[in-house]
Amino acid sequence: MPGMNSNSGDGLVHGGELVPFSTKEKAPVVYPLRYGLKSRVHRLSISWGCGNNLRVTVLRNPEEARDDDGEAGGEVVNVRLSGEDGEIGDAQWRRIAYGSVSPFALLQSRRNSISSLFKMDTSPSLYQTAWWEYVMEYSKEIKSLLSDSVSSLAPLIEDPNSVLKTAEEPTCLKAAWELMEIFYADKTCLSWLPERLVDWLSDYDVLLSSSHPTTYSKLEDFQKELVGLQSIEDDPRYWQVMSSALSVGWLEIVVKLLHLHGSYQLDQLGNRETENGLVEAVAVLISKMPRMRPKLEAGMFGECFAAKPDFMKTRERWQSQITKLECSAFWVQCAHHQTRDGLRNMLKIMMGNADCLSAATSNWMELFVSHFLYLRPFTKGLEGMHNLAQKCVQSKPVNTSHKLLRLLIGILGENTEVVLAVCSKEFGSWMVAHAMELLTAGSEEGEVLVHEEQRNLGGINMEELHRLVYAQVLSSHALTWQIAPVYLSSCEKQGLGLLELLFYRQPVQDNQLLIKSLEICRLYELNYVSAKLMKISGVHHWKHGRKGSGIFWLQQARDEHCLKVISQQLFDSVGKSLSDESLKQWEGLVELLGSDSQISGGLDFLHKYRDFKRSLKLVNDGKAIDAAHEAVERLVSLMKSPSTPQRFWLPLLHDSLKLLNWPEHSLLNVAQTNLMLNKLQEASMARIRPGFIESDLSSQAVGSVRLALATNLGRAFLEEC
C-alpha cells in the first residue's frame, strides 16, 4: 500500500487496512508568509480570518517610518491553513461555490419529487433509473464548472517536435470528482470501466507528478531536450519514454515519437529501408490496437469494439500479427541495435509481458492501468480491481501516497467511510457536501452510512453534518454567506435553526445586507425571522440616532409595542417645549409615525398642532380670510380633542391672539369663545395642583388671553344679536 511495505503473503497491510495509520509524530507544517514591506518587520499580530484563513498583520517600526518614503505602516496577509486545494485561488473558489448552487438545488428538488412518486407505489426500478439520470446530469454540470474557464488556445502552426499537448491545467478537485463519477454515477461505462481509468490517467497523470515519478514527467523532461538531439534513436531515453507511454495507452504520443525516428529522414531512406520498415510496422500495429470501448475521441488511435466476441477475435488476430513480426527475419538485417531492442521491447509490452510492463511504468497506478490494457481487459467488479491494485502497490511501493490514489483505493475497497474521510481532509467541505449524491447513487451501503442518524452528532446524519459544515464555511465569508441558506434549508434537523442564527449575525446597520436577508427569508417563507430582523434593525437605528430608519423598520415589522414606546418618547420630547423650533425638529418623525398610535396623549395632538401652525403661518403672512377661519377650526378641534394635554391649552390660546383680536369681525362665535374661556379657567385652576408643569410663557400671558377672549365674546354676542 502507499507509503508502506508489506511482508504478509495475503496482500493485505496491517490486517487488511486500506489506509495506513501512523502513530509517529508528524513534522510541523510550514506556511509561507509573503508580504510587500521593504522595511524590517517590527511586530506581528495574528488572528483568525474567514473560514480556514489566518489573518497576519505585519507592522513596521514606527520610529523608522518617514513621510517621504511612500511605504505603508503595515500590511495584512491571509494565510490559508491547508484543508482546501491550494491550486485553486479564492476567486475561483467563489466561482465554484456560486456555480454549484443551482445544480445542487435542482437535484434536491428532483430528489423530493422522486421520493413523493416512490411513496405512491411507483416501480423501484423506474425510481432508480430516473435518479441515476438526474445524478449523472448533476455530475456533468459540476464537472464542467470545475474546468478552467479560460482554456489555452491551440497554436496556429504546430511544432513537429512537440510531444505533449498544451491543454487546460487540470486540478485535483476535478480529477477526484471525475473519479467518483466513473465508479458511482456513470452506469453506462460499467462494460468498459478499465478503459475509463486509462482515459482518467491520461488526463491527470500530470497531477501525480508532484509526489510520484510518472510517464508525464519523463515525457516533459525529454521534450525539453528533444530539440538538441541530432540522432534521436541513439538516445536511450527515447526508447524508454516510448515504452512508458505505450504501457499506459498513450498511443498517439508513441506513434508521433516513432515518426521522429532518424530513418524517416529523406537522406536516410535508401540506407535504412529495413529499419524504417520495422519502425513503421510497429507504428501501424500500435495505431490498430483493439480497444474494449464503444468509441474514441477524434485523433485517438485504436479500433473500438463494444461487444466482447468481436474484441476477442480482433485481439487474437492483432496479437498473431505481433508474433509474426517478432519472428520475422528482418530483425537480423536491422543494423541499429537500439532500434532493434527498443522495438522488440515495445512488441513485448503489447503482448502483455508482465516484466516489461513493470519496467516501463513509473508508479503503481500506471502499472494498474497497463494490466487493463494488455493483460486483463475484461476485468469487472470492484473486488477484482481492488485485488489487482493491491498487487500493483506491493510491486511498486512509494514513500508518500498522492491524495487521488488514496481516494481510488478507498473507492476500489468499497469503503464509503474512507472515501468520505479522504474527501473531507484532502478536498475540503465543498467536495463532501456536493459528492454525497454520487456516493449513494445505487449503493445501499453508502445510503445507509450517509443517512443513518448518529446519536453522537445530535441525531443528525452524515449528509446533514457535512452540509452544515460547508454552510458554516460559506457563512464565514462576506461574499458567500448569501448562498449558505440553500444548504441549510436542505438540513431537516438543525438547518433552519442555524439559518436563523446566520441572519442574526449579519450587521443590522447595513440596509443592503438587511434587504438581502429579508429577500432570502421571503424565499424560504421565514416570516417570523424577517419580522425579528426588522425589529432588531429598527431598535438599533433608533438607539444610534437614526430615528427615521428605526421607525421605518419597526413599522415594517409591525411591532406595535416598540412604536408606542417611541411615540411616547417623541411626544414627551416635543411637549417639553411646544415651539416652532421643537416641532420642526421632529416633524419628519411625527409624519412618519402617523396618527394611529394609540398611546396616552398620542401623536394625534402633534399632527393637529402641526396643521394648526401651518394655517396660522398663512394668517401671519397676510393670506386671505379663509386661512384665518381654517386656523380657528383647527384651534377649536385641538381644544376639544381629549388627546391635547391640559398643560398646552394656554400656549395654544396665546399663539391664537391674532385670531382672537381679528380687526374686521369676530372669528369665534359665542359657544366657541365660551369653550376657550372654560379651558382657560381650568388651566388656571390646574396651576395650583401639585405636579403641574409650568409653560415658558410670561406672567402677563394669562391676562392677555383673558382680555382677548372677553373682547371677542362681546363682539360675537353683538354680531349674533
Side-chain angles (χ1 to χ4, degrees), residues 255-288:
V255 172
K256 186 169 185 177
L257 285 172
L258 283 173
H259 288 162
L260 296 178
H261 193 275
S263 63
Y264 281 93
Q265 298 180 8
L266 295 178
D267 58 343
Q268 299 287 331
L269 287 176
N271 301 328
R272 306 173 68 177
E273 185 176 356
T274 302
E275 184 180 348
N276 179 258
L278 290 171
V279 174
E280 183 63 23
V282 173
V284 171
L285 285 172
I286 291 174
S287 64
K288 298 294 183 182

PDB file of all heavy atoms in Angstrom, residues 255-288:
ATOM      1  N   VAL A 255       3.188   6.899 -31.476  1.00  0.00           N
ATOM      2  CA  VAL A 255       3.282   6.933 -32.939  1.00  0.00           C
ATOM      3  C   VAL A 255       4.000   8.205 -33.396  1.00  0.00           C
ATOM      4  O   VAL A 255       4.823   8.175 -34.326  1.00  0.00           O
ATOM      5  CB  VAL A 255       1.872   6.838 -33.560  1.00  0.00           C
ATOM      6  CG1 VAL A 255       1.916   7.071 -35.060  1.00  0.00           C
ATOM      7  CG2 VAL A 255       1.259   5.480 -33.265  1.00  0.00           C
ATOM      8  N   LYS A 256       3.714   9.331 -32.746  1.00  0.00           N
ATOM      9  CA  LYS A 256       4.376  10.584 -33.121  1.00  0.00           C
ATOM     10  C   LYS A 256       5.871  10.509 -32.847  1.00  0.00           C
ATOM     11  O   LYS A 256       6.693  10.990 -33.648  1.00  0.00           O
ATOM     12  CB  LYS A 256       3.755  11.742 -32.342  1.00  0.00           C
ATOM     13  CG  LYS A 256       4.273  13.099 -32.774  1.00  0.00           C
ATOM     14  CD  LYS A 256       3.461  14.229 -32.175  1.00  0.00           C
ATOM     15  CE  LYS A 256       3.922  15.572 -32.717  1.00  0.00           C
ATOM     16  NZ  LYS A 256       3.102  16.698 -32.206  1.00  0.00           N
ATOM     17  N   LEU A 257       6.259   9.910 -31.712  1.00  0.00           N
ATOM     18  CA  LEU A 257       7.678   9.760 -31.403  1.00  0.00           C
ATOM     19  C   LEU A 257       8.356   8.799 -32.375  1.00  0.00           C
ATOM     20  O   LEU A 257       9.517   9.020 -32.778  1.00  0.00           O
ATOM     21  CB  LEU A 257       7.845   9.271 -29.966  1.00  0.00           C
ATOM     22  CG  LEU A 257       7.606  10.303 -28.855  1.00  0.00           C
ATOM     23  CD1 LEU A 257       7.603   9.639 -27.485  1.00  0.00           C
ATOM     24  CD2 LEU A 257       8.688  11.392 -28.895  1.00  0.00           C
ATOM     25  N   LEU A 258       7.664   7.741 -32.774  1.00  0.00           N
ATOM     26  CA  LEU A 258       8.232   6.810 -33.748  1.00  0.00           C
ATOM     27  C   LEU A 258       8.509   7.499 -35.076  1.00  0.00           C
ATOM     28  O   LEU A 258       9.507   7.221 -35.749  1.00  0.00           O
ATOM     29  CB  LEU A 258       7.301   5.620 -33.946  1.00  0.00           C
ATOM     30  CG  LEU A 258       7.301   4.550 -32.845  1.00  0.00           C
ATOM     31  CD1 LEU A 258       6.217   3.514 -33.097  1.00  0.00           C
ATOM     32  CD2 LEU A 258       8.669   3.873 -32.749  1.00  0.00           C
ATOM     33  N   HIS A 259       7.633   8.405 -35.451  1.00  0.00           N
ATOM     34  CA  HIS A 259       7.814   9.116 -36.718  1.00  0.00           C
ATOM     35  C   HIS A 259       8.931  10.148 -36.652  1.00  0.00           C
ATOM     36  O   HIS A 259       9.292  10.734 -37.680  1.00  0.00           O
ATOM     37  CB  HIS A 259       6.510   9.780 -37.139  1.00  0.00           C
ATOM     38  CG  HIS A 259       5.489   8.792 -37.616  1.00  0.00           C
ATOM     39  ND1 HIS A 259       4.129   9.082 -37.710  1.00  0.00           N
ATOM     40  CD2 HIS A 259       5.621   7.501 -38.024  1.00  0.00           C
ATOM     41  CE1 HIS A 259       3.475   8.024 -38.149  1.00  0.00           C
ATOM     42  NE2 HIS A 259       4.360   7.049 -38.342  1.00  0.00           N
ATOM     43  N   LEU A 260       9.478  10.392 -35.460  1.00  0.00           N
ATOM     44  CA  LEU A 260      10.660  11.241 -35.336  1.00  0.00           C
ATOM     45  C   LEU A 260      11.950  10.447 -35.490  1.00  0.00           C
ATOM     46  O   LEU A 260      13.051  11.015 -35.410  1.00  0.00           O
ATOM     47  CB  LEU A 260      10.656  11.946 -33.974  1.00  0.00           C
ATOM     48  CG  LEU A 260       9.521  12.936 -33.703  1.00  0.00           C
ATOM     49  CD1 LEU A 260       9.639  13.497 -32.284  1.00  0.00           C
ATOM     50  CD2 LEU A 260       9.531  14.073 -34.710  1.00  0.00           C
ATOM     51  N   HIS A 261      11.808   9.144 -35.704  1.00  0.00           N
ATOM     52  CA  HIS A 261      12.975   8.269 -35.870  1.00  0.00           C
ATOM     53  C   HIS A 261      13.808   8.740 -37.066  1.00  0.00           C
ATOM     54  O   HIS A 261      13.276   9.207 -38.079  1.00  0.00           O
ATOM     55  CB  HIS A 261      12.507   6.826 -36.067  1.00  0.00           C
ATOM     56  CG  HIS A 261      13.581   5.816 -35.938  1.00  0.00           C
ATOM     57  ND1 HIS A 261      14.395   5.465 -36.991  1.00  0.00           N
ATOM     58  CD2 HIS A 261      14.005   5.066 -34.882  1.00  0.00           C
ATOM     59  CE1 HIS A 261      15.257   4.534 -36.607  1.00  0.00           C
ATOM     60  NE2 HIS A 261      15.038   4.282 -35.316  1.00  0.00           N
ATOM     61  N   GLY A 262      15.119   8.621 -36.947  1.00  0.00           N
ATOM     62  CA  GLY A 262      16.017   9.116 -37.994  1.00  0.00           C
ATOM     63  C   GLY A 262      15.840   8.438 -39.333  1.00  0.00           C
ATOM     64  O   GLY A 262      16.190   9.009 -40.378  1.00  0.00           O
ATOM     65  N   SER A 263      15.293   7.225 -39.358  1.00  0.00           N
ATOM     66  CA  SER A 263      15.134   6.520 -40.634  1.00  0.00           C
ATOM     67  C   SER A 263      14.074   7.151 -41.524  1.00  0.00           C
ATOM     68  O   SER A 263      13.982   6.804 -42.705  1.00  0.00           O
ATOM     69  CB  SER A 263      14.782   5.049 -40.371  1.00  0.00           C
ATOM     70  OG  SER A 263      13.533   4.956 -39.689  1.00  0.00           O
ATOM     71  N   TYR A 264      13.283   8.074 -40.978  1.00  0.00           N
ATOM     72  CA  TYR A 264      12.264   8.750 -41.788  1.00  0.00           C
ATOM     73  C   TYR A 264      12.841   9.956 -42.533  1.00  0.00           C
ATOM     74  O   TYR A 264      12.148  10.547 -43.370  1.00  0.00           O
ATOM     75  CB  TYR A 264      11.109   9.220 -40.904  1.00  0.00           C
ATOM     76  CG  TYR A 264      10.147   8.111 -40.531  1.00  0.00           C
ATOM     77  CD1 TYR A 264      10.317   7.410 -39.346  1.00  0.00           C
ATOM     78  CD2 TYR A 264       9.082   7.766 -41.355  1.00  0.00           C
ATOM     79  CE1 TYR A 264       9.451   6.399 -38.987  1.00  0.00           C
ATOM     80  CE2 TYR A 264       8.210   6.744 -41.008  1.00  0.00           C
ATOM     81  CZ  TYR A 264       8.388   6.070 -39.819  1.00  0.00           C
ATOM     82  OH  TYR A 264       7.525   5.066 -39.464  1.00  0.00           O
ATOM     83  N   GLN A 265      14.072  10.341 -42.240  1.00  0.00           N
ATOM     84  CA  GLN A 265      14.671  11.461 -42.945  1.00  0.00           C
ATOM     85  C   GLN A 265      14.972  11.067 -44.391  1.00  0.00           C
ATOM     86  O   GLN A 265      15.343   9.931 -44.691  1.00  0.00           O
ATOM     87  CB  GLN A 265      15.951  11.906 -42.237  1.00  0.00           C
ATOM     88  CG  GLN A 265      15.712  12.406 -40.820  1.00  0.00           C
ATOM     89  CD  GLN A 265      16.978  12.831 -40.126  1.00  0.00           C
ATOM     90  OE1 GLN A 265      18.042  12.902 -40.760  1.00  0.00           O
ATOM     91  NE2 GLN A 265      16.881  13.115 -38.831  1.00  0.00           N
ATOM     92  N   LEU A 266      14.827  12.025 -45.298  1.00  0.00           N
ATOM     93  CA  LEU A 266      14.939  11.738 -46.728  1.00  0.00           C
ATOM     94  C   LEU A 266      16.320  11.218 -47.104  1.00  0.00           C
ATOM     95  O   LEU A 266      16.439  10.341 -47.984  1.00  0.00           O
ATOM     96  CB  LEU A 266      14.626  13.013 -47.521  1.00  0.00           C
ATOM     97  CG  LEU A 266      13.181  13.532 -47.395  1.00  0.00           C
ATOM     98  CD1 LEU A 266      13.014  14.823 -48.176  1.00  0.00           C
ATOM     99  CD2 LEU A 266      12.186  12.486 -47.888  1.00  0.00           C
ATOM    100  N   ASP A 267      17.341  11.704 -46.456  1.00  0.00           N
ATOM    101  CA  ASP A 267      18.693  11.261 -46.809  1.00  0.00           C
ATOM    102  C   ASP A 267      19.053   9.907 -46.210  1.00  0.00           C
ATOM    103  O   ASP A 267      20.126   9.373 -46.471  1.00  0.00           O
ATOM    104  CB  ASP A 267      19.720  12.304 -46.360  1.00  0.00           C
ATOM    105  CG  ASP A 267      19.644  12.554 -44.862  1.00  0.00           C
ATOM    106  OD1 ASP A 267      18.609  12.187 -44.254  1.00  0.00           O
ATOM    107  OD2 ASP A 267      20.597  13.123 -44.282  1.00  0.00           O
ATOM    108  N   GLN A 268      18.130   9.338 -45.395  1.00  0.00           N
ATOM    109  CA  GLN A 268      18.403   8.061 -44.741  1.00  0.00           C
ATOM    110  C   GLN A 268      17.546   6.919 -45.289  1.00  0.00           C
ATOM    111  O   GLN A 268      17.782   5.761 -44.947  1.00  0.00           O
ATOM    112  CB  GLN A 268      18.138   8.188 -43.228  1.00  0.00           C
ATOM    113  CG  GLN A 268      19.002   9.207 -42.527  1.00  0.00           C
ATOM    114  CD  GLN A 268      20.433   8.747 -42.384  1.00  0.00           C
ATOM    115  OE1 GLN A 268      20.716   7.545 -42.293  1.00  0.00           O
ATOM    116  NE2 GLN A 268      21.365   9.694 -42.415  1.00  0.00           N
ATOM    117  N   LEU A 269      16.554   7.230 -46.115  1.00  0.00           N
ATOM    118  CA  LEU A 269      15.613   6.190 -46.552  1.00  0.00           C
ATOM    119  C   LEU A 269      16.303   5.093 -47.349  1.00  0.00           C
ATOM    120  O   LEU A 269      15.979   3.902 -47.217  1.00  0.00           O
ATOM    121  CB  LEU A 269      14.494   6.825 -47.385  1.00  0.00           C
ATOM    122  CG  LEU A 269      13.462   7.642 -46.606  1.00  0.00           C
ATOM    123  CD1 LEU A 269      12.464   8.296 -47.545  1.00  0.00           C
ATOM    124  CD2 LEU A 269      12.720   6.746 -45.618  1.00  0.00           C
ATOM    125  N   GLY A 270      17.252   5.437 -48.171  1.00  0.00           N
ATOM    126  CA  GLY A 270      17.903   4.416 -49.001  1.00  0.00           C
ATOM    127  C   GLY A 270      18.778   3.491 -48.202  1.00  0.00           C
ATOM    128  O   GLY A 270      18.823   2.277 -48.465  1.00  0.00           O
ATOM    129  N   ASN A 271      19.469   4.005 -47.203  1.00  0.00           N
ATOM    130  CA  ASN A 271      20.402   3.188 -46.414  1.00  0.00           C
ATOM    131  C   ASN A 271      19.719   2.423 -45.291  1.00  0.00           C
ATOM    132  O   ASN A 271      20.244   1.412 -44.823  1.00  0.00           O
ATOM    133  CB  ASN A 271      21.495   4.080 -45.824  1.00  0.00           C
ATOM    134  CG  ASN A 271      22.284   4.804 -46.904  1.00  0.00           C
ATOM    135  OD1 ASN A 271      22.461   4.279 -47.998  1.00  0.00           O
ATOM    136  ND2 ASN A 271      22.744   6.023 -46.584  1.00  0.00           N
ATOM    137  N   ARG A 272      18.560   2.900 -44.819  1.00  0.00           N
ATOM    138  CA  ARG A 272      17.925   2.311 -43.629  1.00  0.00           C
ATOM    139  C   ARG A 272      16.495   1.885 -43.947  1.00  0.00           C
ATOM    140  O   ARG A 272      15.586   2.065 -43.162  1.00  0.00           O
ATOM    141  CB  ARG A 272      17.941   3.335 -42.494  1.00  0.00           C
ATOM    142  CG  ARG A 272      19.335   3.876 -42.208  1.00  0.00           C
ATOM    143  CD  ARG A 272      19.328   5.003 -41.220  1.00  0.00           C
ATOM    144  NE  ARG A 272      18.958   4.598 -39.890  1.00  0.00           N
ATOM    145  CZ  ARG A 272      18.928   5.416 -38.830  1.00  0.00           C
ATOM    146  NH1 ARG A 272      19.269   6.690 -38.989  1.00  0.00           N
ATOM    147  NH2 ARG A 272      18.583   4.961 -37.651  1.00  0.00           N
ATOM    148  N   GLU A 273      16.317   1.306 -45.109  1.00  0.00           N
ATOM    149  CA  GLU A 273      14.968   0.930 -45.557  1.00  0.00           C
ATOM    150  C   GLU A 273      14.361  -0.140 -44.664  1.00  0.00           C
ATOM    151  O   GLU A 273      13.191  -0.074 -44.282  1.00  0.00           O
ATOM    152  CB  GLU A 273      15.031   0.464 -47.005  1.00  0.00           C
ATOM    153  CG  GLU A 273      13.658   0.160 -47.602  1.00  0.00           C
ATOM    154  CD  GLU A 273      13.747  -0.214 -49.063  1.00  0.00           C
ATOM    155  OE1 GLU A 273      14.836  -0.181 -49.649  1.00  0.00           O
ATOM    156  OE2 GLU A 273      12.691  -0.567 -49.625  1.00  0.00           O
ATOM    157  N   THR A 274      15.135  -1.158 -44.307  1.00  0.00           N
ATOM    158  CA  THR A 274      14.625  -2.237 -43.451  1.00  0.00           C
ATOM    159  C   THR A 274      14.294  -1.707 -42.062  1.00  0.00           C
ATOM    160  O   THR A 274      13.252  -2.028 -41.477  1.00  0.00           O
ATOM    161  CB  THR A 274      15.668  -3.358 -43.341  1.00  0.00           C
ATOM    162  OG1 THR A 274      15.974  -3.850 -44.650  1.00  0.00           O
ATOM    163  CG2 THR A 274      15.147  -4.491 -42.469  1.00  0.00           C
ATOM    164  N   GLU A 275      15.191  -0.895 -41.547  1.00  0.00           N
ATOM    165  CA  GLU A 275      14.962  -0.308 -40.223  1.00  0.00           C
ATOM    166  C   GLU A 275      13.704   0.539 -40.207  1.00  0.00           C
ATOM    167  O   GLU A 275      12.880   0.455 -39.285  1.00  0.00           O
ATOM    168  CB  GLU A 275      16.177   0.536 -39.833  1.00  0.00           C
ATOM    169  CG  GLU A 275      16.115   1.126 -38.430  1.00  0.00           C
ATOM    170  CD  GLU A 275      17.349   1.942 -38.117  1.00  0.00           C
ATOM    171  OE1 GLU A 275      18.334   1.860 -38.884  1.00  0.00           O
ATOM    172  OE2 GLU A 275      17.325   2.662 -37.097  1.00  0.00           O
ATOM    173  N   ASN A 276      13.526   1.343 -41.258  1.00  0.00           N
ATOM    174  CA  ASN A 276      12.333   2.181 -41.349  1.00  0.00           C
ATOM    175  C   ASN A 276      11.071   1.339 -41.483  1.00  0.00           C
ATOM    176  O   ASN A 276      10.013   1.676 -40.929  1.00  0.00           O
ATOM    177  CB  ASN A 276      12.470   3.131 -42.537  1.00  0.00           C
ATOM    178  CG  ASN A 276      11.245   4.018 -42.703  1.00  0.00           C
ATOM    179  OD1 ASN A 276      10.403   3.763 -43.564  1.00  0.00           O
ATOM    180  ND2 ASN A 276      11.139   5.044 -41.863  1.00  0.00           N
ATOM    181  N   GLY A 277      11.170   0.217 -42.218  1.00  0.00           N
ATOM    182  CA  GLY A 277      10.012  -0.668 -42.369  1.00  0.00           C
ATOM    183  C   GLY A 277       9.584  -1.274 -41.046  1.00  0.00           C
ATOM    184  O   GLY A 277       8.379  -1.389 -40.757  1.00  0.00           O
ATOM    185  N   LEU A 278      10.554  -1.654 -40.207  1.00  0.00           N
ATOM    186  CA  LEU A 278      10.222  -2.202 -38.892  1.00  0.00           C
ATOM    187  C   LEU A 278       9.564  -1.142 -38.004  1.00  0.00           C
ATOM    188  O   LEU A 278       8.591  -1.423 -37.286  1.00  0.00           O
ATOM    189  CB  LEU A 278      11.494  -2.729 -38.219  1.00  0.00           C
ATOM    190  CG  LEU A 278      12.102  -4.002 -38.828  1.00  0.00           C
ATOM    191  CD1 LEU A 278      13.459  -4.287 -38.202  1.00  0.00           C
ATOM    192  CD2 LEU A 278      11.153  -5.195 -38.645  1.00  0.00           C
ATOM    193  N   VAL A 279      10.110   0.075 -38.050  1.00  0.00           N
ATOM    194  CA  VAL A 279       9.526   1.153 -37.242  1.00  0.00           C
ATOM    195  C   VAL A 279       8.104   1.431 -37.677  1.00  0.00           C
ATOM    196  O   VAL A 279       7.187   1.567 -36.844  1.00  0.00           O
ATOM    197  CB  VAL A 279      10.390   2.426 -37.351  1.00  0.00           C
ATOM    198  CG1 VAL A 279       9.698   3.590 -36.638  1.00  0.00           C
ATOM    199  CG2 VAL A 279      11.762   2.195 -36.753  1.00  0.00           C
ATOM    200  N   GLU A 280       7.882   1.487 -38.992  1.00  0.00           N
ATOM    201  CA  GLU A 280       6.544   1.766 -39.493  1.00  0.00           C
ATOM    202  C   GLU A 280       5.579   0.622 -39.186  1.00  0.00           C
ATOM    203  O   GLU A 280       4.398   0.844 -38.881  1.00  0.00           O
ATOM    204  CB  GLU A 280       6.596   2.024 -40.995  1.00  0.00           C
ATOM    205  CG  GLU A 280       5.266   2.394 -41.623  1.00  0.00           C
ATOM    206  CD  GLU A 280       4.694   3.691 -41.077  1.00  0.00           C
ATOM    207  OE1 GLU A 280       5.476   4.533 -40.557  1.00  0.00           O
ATOM    208  OE2 GLU A 280       3.466   3.871 -41.150  1.00  0.00           O
ATOM    209  N   ALA A 281       6.060  -0.624 -39.234  1.00  0.00           N
ATOM    210  CA  ALA A 281       5.205  -1.770 -38.927  1.00  0.00           C
ATOM    211  C   ALA A 281       4.736  -1.721 -37.473  1.00  0.00           C
ATOM    212  O   ALA A 281       3.560  -1.972 -37.170  1.00  0.00           O
ATOM    213  CB  ALA A 281       5.966  -3.072 -39.200  1.00  0.00           C
ATOM    214  N   VAL A 282       5.655  -1.374 -36.556  1.00  0.00           N
ATOM    215  CA  VAL A 282       5.267  -1.253 -35.146  1.00  0.00           C
ATOM    216  C   VAL A 282       4.289  -0.097 -34.964  1.00  0.00           C
ATOM    217  O   VAL A 282       3.312  -0.200 -34.200  1.00  0.00           O
ATOM    218  CB  VAL A 282       6.524  -1.061 -34.274  1.00  0.00           C
ATOM    219  CG1 VAL A 282       6.125  -0.765 -32.826  1.00  0.00           C
ATOM    220  CG2 VAL A 282       7.405  -2.296 -34.326  1.00  0.00           C
ATOM    221  N   ALA A 283       4.527   1.011 -35.672  1.00  0.00           N
ATOM    222  CA  ALA A 283       3.616   2.151 -35.566  1.00  0.00           C
ATOM    223  C   ALA A 283       2.218   1.791 -36.043  1.00  0.00           C
ATOM    224  O   ALA A 283       1.214   2.201 -35.441  1.00  0.00           O
ATOM    225  CB  ALA A 283       4.171   3.333 -36.364  1.00  0.00           C
ATOM    226  N   VAL A 284       2.126   1.012 -37.125  1.00  0.00           N
ATOM    227  CA  VAL A 284       0.811   0.595 -37.628  1.00  0.00           C
ATOM    228  C   VAL A 284       0.128  -0.332 -36.638  1.00  0.00           C
ATOM    229  O   VAL A 284      -1.085  -0.207 -36.374  1.00  0.00           O
ATOM    230  CB  VAL A 284       0.970  -0.084 -39.009  1.00  0.00           C
ATOM    231  CG1 VAL A 284      -0.351  -0.720 -39.448  1.00  0.00           C
ATOM    232  CG2 VAL A 284       1.435   0.919 -40.046  1.00  0.00           C
ATOM    233  N   LEU A 285       0.871  -1.262 -36.073  1.00  0.00           N
ATOM    234  CA  LEU A 285       0.281  -2.163 -35.084  1.00  0.00           C
ATOM    235  C   LEU A 285      -0.244  -1.390 -33.874  1.00  0.00           C
ATOM    236  O   LEU A 285      -1.306  -1.705 -33.335  1.00  0.00           O
ATOM    237  CB  LEU A 285       1.320  -3.195 -34.635  1.00  0.00           C
ATOM    238  CG  LEU A 285       1.634  -4.324 -35.619  1.00  0.00           C
ATOM    239  CD1 LEU A 285       2.812  -5.146 -35.129  1.00  0.00           C
ATOM    240  CD2 LEU A 285       0.411  -5.220 -35.821  1.00  0.00           C
ATOM    241  N   ILE A 286       0.516  -0.407 -33.457  1.00  0.00           N
ATOM    242  CA  ILE A 286       0.073   0.398 -32.310  1.00  0.00           C
ATOM    243  C   ILE A 286      -1.193   1.162 -32.657  1.00  0.00           C
ATOM    244  O   ILE A 286      -2.134   1.226 -31.854  1.00  0.00           O
ATOM    245  CB  ILE A 286       1.196   1.366 -31.878  1.00  0.00           C
ATOM    246  CG1 ILE A 286       2.358   0.575 -31.272  1.00  0.00           C
ATOM    247  CG2 ILE A 286       0.675   2.385 -30.865  1.00  0.00           C
ATOM    248  CD1 ILE A 286       3.567   1.429 -30.955  1.00  0.00           C
ATOM    249  N   SER A 287      -1.234   1.759 -33.847  1.00  0.00           N
ATOM    250  CA  SER A 287      -2.417   2.545 -34.233  1.00  0.00           C
ATOM    251  C   SER A 287      -3.648   1.676 -34.439  1.00  0.00           C
ATOM    252  O   SER A 287      -4.770   2.183 -34.396  1.00  0.00           O
ATOM    253  CB  SER A 287      -2.109   3.336 -35.508  1.00  0.00           C
ATOM    254  OG  SER A 287      -1.860   2.449 -36.592  1.00  0.00           O
ATOM    255  N   LYS A 288      -3.460   0.352 -34.675  1.00  0.00           N
ATOM    256  CA  LYS A 288      -4.595  -0.564 -34.884  1.00  0.00           C
ATOM    257  C   LYS A 288      -4.913  -1.386 -33.640  1.00  0.00           C
ATOM    258  O   LYS A 288      -5.652  -2.380 -33.715  1.00  0.00           O
ATOM    259  CB  LYS A 288      -4.284  -1.515 -36.045  1.00  0.00           C
ATOM    260  CG  LYS A 288      -4.075  -0.827 -37.388  1.00  0.00           C
ATOM    261  CD  LYS A 288      -5.358  -0.179 -37.883  1.00  0.00           C
ATOM    262  CE  LYS A 288      -5.160   0.447 -39.263  1.00  0.00           C
ATOM    263  NZ  LYS A 288      -6.400   1.118 -39.741  1.00  0.00           N
TER     264      LYS A 288
END
